[in-house]
Amino acid sequence: MLGEAAEAFQELDRALQADASFVPAKILRDALLEKQGRTHPSTFGLRNELEYSKDSASSTRLLAHRAELERRWQDAAAAYEKLCMLETPSRESYLGSFLETRLARGGACLRTKMYDVAVEDFAAVEAQSPEALEPSLLKGRAYYLKGEQDRAEEVFRAAFERAGFPDIAALSVVMIYNYFQNHARAMAWIDEIEDPILRELHRMAILEDL
């Protein structure tokens, strides 16, 4: 594990040497340092970066991620809302940053019970990346939390049918339903898993929770 962490820091340092303003690398580096109970000694640490950033999008992204780390979801949603106004698909801070922002705002809105906004964000990412499973699962989760369980099931079914790895999709849906203690639907989705060992292991796990 220590070797993996050291290798990760080396890669992040190389990325920042190439582009000192690359926010995702700074965020990931500081997250790894925080996990180890350390902080970065330079002025480019996440806590101090806002004082030095001249890029409004970069500083807003840093604010959003700091709010996420501190679980201030209302602040995170507000920061991502601002970021969505600063960036467009044709004016991104880096490749894929616009969709990343929409996905992150959706996640923050999900936690603050702004389900309609969350659905819109996840649907936007889903439309641009139909092969990605995560936005569809999150969209279904948002519908479920809205109380639209049948709509959530439709979203999950559509994601499963186009998934490159159907067993992973089915298992993900099982876990979502199990989290919400909807054991009937979780058991129904268990039958969609083709791998017999995986299917029976999770069937037994759900039965033990009943």
Side-chain angles (χ1 to χ4, degrees), residues 1 10 28 133 138 144 210:
M1 291 295 291
Q10 289 176 0
L28 182 55
L133 184 60
L138 288 169
Y144 192 96
L210 294 178

Side-chain angles (χ1 to χ4, degrees), residues 20-40:
S21 66
F22 189 46
V23 172
K26 295 175 183 178
I27 291 168
L28 182 55
R29 181 195 60 194
D30 281 15
L32 289 171
L33 286 169
E34 284 199 7
K35 191 174 182 180
Q36 296 181 352
R38 297 188 291 149
T39 57
H40 198 270

